[in-house]
């Protein structure tokens, strides 16, 4: 069995962290890594003990939810809280960082930013990263690597569709099932 790459491993960690998000607008996760070791993680959500967007709704001002602390900031704050230096570390984020998070990452000494999904990639954030000499790389998570039974599921589905075709299931229904199957087995980004 082939092991997944480090980039896929750390991006998968960020995706897993995003599942803890309490933001109803966008679920984001971030993993801070140094020397191939996870030193912190964060997801976007409210202040500890405060109201959460999932419970009270978003508190939107100027098209931004001010109730939410971004995943990158939560990860950096975790490092600060426990005295873990971030100088020279890397960060894996599910979505491209906003301008404010980009500035915080630069100030924290992050040397490389990996992100999965483009999200309002602000030109000023890219400019800031370039000025600071921080490399930015898109690493799309291949979710197939996380499913050890992917090939078997795909083969079973293909076999079932062939059997349905053989027993002459309504052509329109069969086409609809094939389209649903393609969508299910084709990775998509939000």
């Amino acid at each position: 069995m082939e092991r997944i790459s480090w980039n896929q491993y750390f991006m998968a960690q960020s995706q897993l962290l995003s599942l803890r998000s309490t933001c109803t607008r966008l679920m984001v996760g971030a993993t801070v890594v140094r020397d191939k070791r996870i030193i912190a993680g964060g997801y976007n959500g409210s202040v500890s003990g405060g109201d959460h967007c999932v419970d009270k709704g978003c508190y939107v001002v100027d098209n931004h939810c001010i109730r939410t602390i971004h995943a990158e900031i939560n990860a950096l704050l975790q490092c600060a809280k426990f005295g873990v230096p971030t100088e020279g570390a890397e960060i894996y984020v599910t979505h491209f960082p906003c301008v404010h998070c980009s500035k915080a990452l630069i100030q924290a000494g992050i040397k490389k930013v990996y992100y999965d999904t483009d999200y309002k990639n602000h030109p000023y954030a890219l400019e800031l990263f370039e000025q600071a000499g921080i490399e930015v790389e898109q690493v799309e998570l291949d979710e197939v690597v996380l499913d050890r039974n992917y090939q078997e599921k795909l083969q079973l589905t293909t076999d079932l569709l062939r059997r349905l075709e053989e027993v002459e299931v309504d052509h329109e229904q069969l086409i609809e099932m094939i389209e649903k199957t393609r969508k299910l087995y084709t990775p998509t980004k939000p």
Side-chain angles (χ1 to χ4, degrees):
M1 179 175 90
E2 188 177 326
R3 296 192 308 171
I4 66 173
S5 71
W6 284 112
N7 283 345
Q8 290 292 300
Y9 173 75
F10 294 126
M11 195 56 75
Q13 294 293 325
S14 294
Q15 290 290 354
L16 188 60
L17 281 162
S18 77
L19 297 176
R20 290 281 305 152
S21 172
T22 60
C23 177
T24 58
R25 295 168 53 142
L26 184 68
M27 297 171 74
V28 180
T31 305
V32 182
V33 174
R34 185 182 11 298
D35 299 325
K36 303 285 187 249
R37 300 289 180 262
I38 296 170
I39 60 174
Y43 52 88
N44 57 333
S46 301
V47 174
S48 296
D51 293 331
H52 293 279
C53 298
V54 293
D55 300 322
K56 298 281 186 169
C58 291
Y59 187 177
V60 178
V61 175
D62 295 330
N63 204 29
H64 295 283
C65 179
I66 62 172
R67 189 185 310 276
T68 300
I69 301 169
H70 290 190
E72 301 93 323
I73 301 302
N74 268 328
L76 294 176
L77 290 171
Q78 187 180 65
C79 288
K81 186 175 185 176
F82 295 106
V84 179
T86 54
E87 183 70 37
E90 301 171 331
I91 192 164
Y92 289 78
V93 189
T94 57
H95 295 76
F96 188 86
C98 73
V99 172
H100 299 295
C101 287
S102 298
K103 291 187 287 186
L105 295 171
I106 292 166
Q107 290 300 97
I110 298 295
K111 71 176 182 181
K112 188 163 184 178
V113 175
Y114 297 93
Y115 72 97
D116 183 351
T117 304
D118 287 317
Y119 182 73
K120 300 180 181 179
N121 300 26
H122 199 284
Y124 186 56
L126 288 164
E127 181 183 328
L128 288 171
F129 284 139
E130 187 176 329
Q131 287 174 359
I134 295 174
E135 192 176 341
V136 177
E137 181 179 332
Q138 186 171 21
V139 174
E140 294 184 40
L141 178 63
D142 180 3
E143 295 176 17
V144 171
V145 300
L146 302 177
D147 186 352
R148 294 174 186 231
N149 299 316
Y150 178 82
Q151 290 301 326
E152 293 161 62
K153 290 176 186 176
L154 180 59
Q155 187 61 54
L156 175 63
T157 305
T158 303
D159 292 346
L160 288 170
L161 289 170
R162 280 195 191 116
R163 290 283 295 178
L164 288 171
E165 191 174 25
E166 289 171 10
V167 296
E168 297 182 10
V169 168
D170 178 67
H171 183 71
E172 287 181 23
Q173 284 182 326
L174 184 61
I175 296 299
E176 186 179 315
M177 286 187 262
I178 290 170
E179 284 305 311
K180 285 181 180 178
T181 302
R182 280 193 184 119
K183 286 180 183 174
L184 184 65
Y185 285 101
T186 303
T188 59
K189 294 292 176 187

